[in-house]
């Protein structure tokens, strides 16, 4: 490899990661296009068509042996089941938020997510927080209090999204590189298939199924839910392998910013003063967290350079 090859790989990783977060940022608009289909039915098709799409990818890439090897490891099977349940909660609550006029609150959940991830590291992994991280968590907690007390609404959608996705990331960390992105999503979708079938029966027997009743264009859009789900995850996996964690950490704000703008600017969801104050406190927390991460990364890099010289 040439001396500039690592830099090229990092740039490529950043492009992949940006692509993933950019597509995630557009997801509210995509799911809104699927009206009049409801959130409970959309999740069913998202699970089933993700499974079909991943099966096609495994066939094209000839990576079925990897999946079979994972199934022989009980520990990995257990963690993929847990990951599947967490992503189910995340998908369902995300869609409930979008289709009930709470896109802005959903974006708040993904703004809070990095802070929840740091907090989970302390509570579950026993990691020690730096002063700036504690201050960021305090600002985020104050933001939630402001939204509850001043705005008069408990942000359960935001907190559930942040907790479920943060825990999902923690589980993925436990799994590590032993499970590739395609195999992971395949297994997560596979474990959720029984839930999807039960949910499909319930929806069919209560409100009735919308899929296939709104014309070829609508049916095609719903069918693409598997692709829309899988492609950003694959891009993210490719980016995470190449780009530094600091870059990934900064890019992750692309999606919630786009979702916030979608809810506020395009959909006209309310943003009274109290809500602006709550969001502002979260943004201050994220600035503190980002600056602290950059400083810590530079110090670690400098320490590494010194170690190489010695």
């Amino acid at each position: 490899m040439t001396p500039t090859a690592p830099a090229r790989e990092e740039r490529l990783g950043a492009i992949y990661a940006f692509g993933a977060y950019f597509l995630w940022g557009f997801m509210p608009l995509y799911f809104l296009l699927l009206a009049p289909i409801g959130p409970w039915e959309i999740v069913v098709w998202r699970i089933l068509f993700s499974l079909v799409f991943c099966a096609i990818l495994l066939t094209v890439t000839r990576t079925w042996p990897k999946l079979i090897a994972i199934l022989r490891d009980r520990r990995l099977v257990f963690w993929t089941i847990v990951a599947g349940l967490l992503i189910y909660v995340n998908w369902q609550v995300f869609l409930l938020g979008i289709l009930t006029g709470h896109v802005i609150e959903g974006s708040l959940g993904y703004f809070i997510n990095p802070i929840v991830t740091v907090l989970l590291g302390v509570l579950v992994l026993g990691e020690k927080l730096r002063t700036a991280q504690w201050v960021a968590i305090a600002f985020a907690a104050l933001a939630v209090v402001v939204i509850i007390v001043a705005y008069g609404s408990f942000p359960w959608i935001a907190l559930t999204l942040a907790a479920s996705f943060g825990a999902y990331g923690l589980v993925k960390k436990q799994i590590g590189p032993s499970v590739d992105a395609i195999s992971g999503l395949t297994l997560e979708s596979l474990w959720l298939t029984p839930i999807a079938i039960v949910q499909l029966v319930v929806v069919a027997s209560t409100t009735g199924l919308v899929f296939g009743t709104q014309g070829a264009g609508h049916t095609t859009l719903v069918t693409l839910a598997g692709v829309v789900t899988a492609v950003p995850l694959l891009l993210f996996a490719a980016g995470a392998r190449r780009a530094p964690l600091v870059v990934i950490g900064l890019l992750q704000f692309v999606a919630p910013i786009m979702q916030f703008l979608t809810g506020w600017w395009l959909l006209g969801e309310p943003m009274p003063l109290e809500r602006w104050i709550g969001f502002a406190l979260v943004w201050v927390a994220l600035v503190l967290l980002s600056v602290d991460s950059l400083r810590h990364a530079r110090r670690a890099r400098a320490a590494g350079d010194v170690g190489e010289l010695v």
Side-chain angles (χ1 to χ4, degrees), residues 39-161:
W40 299 99
E41 184 179 349
I42 292 178
V43 167
V44 169
W45 301 124
R46 192 174 184 185
I47 293 169
L48 297 180
F49 288 132
S50 292
L51 182 60
V52 172
F53 181 64
C54 286
I56 293 171
L57 286 178
L58 287 171
T59 303
V60 172
T61 57
R62 299 180 181 180
T63 50
W64 281 102
K66 286 185 179 181
L67 183 70
I68 294 171
I70 294 167
L71 288 171
R72 291 172 179 159
D73 189 321
R74 291 183 179 179
R75 186 186 73 86
L76 292 179
V77 168
F78 170 76
W79 284 118
T80 56
I81 291 172
V82 175
L85 293 173
L86 288 169
I87 204 63
Y88 167 78
V89 172
N90 187 268
W91 287 354
Q92 190 65 78
V93 173
F94 180 68
L95 284 165
L96 283 169
I98 290 172
L99 300 180
T100 56
H102 294 86
V103 174
I104 289 178
E105 187 178 334
S107 73
L108 177 63
Y110 291 109
F111 277 125
I112 294 175
N113 178 66
I115 299 168
V116 170
T117 300
V118 170
L119 193 57
L120 284 173
V122 175
L123 298 176
V124 179
L125 302 179
E127 296 177 355
K128 293 183 179 180
L129 291 185
R130 298 183 291 276
T131 302
Q133 291 174 316
W134 277 117
V135 174
I137 290 173
F139 268 99
L142 181 60
V144 173
V145 172
V146 168
I147 291 173
I148 293 173
V149 177
Y151 186 59
S153 174
F154 184 77
W156 71 270
I157 292 175
L159 295 178
T160 304
L161 288 176

Side-chain angles (χ1 to χ4, degrees), residues 279-290:
F279 269 81
L281 289 170
V282 170
W283 293 333
V284 169
L286 293 175
V287 169
L288 289 172
L289 205 61
S290 299

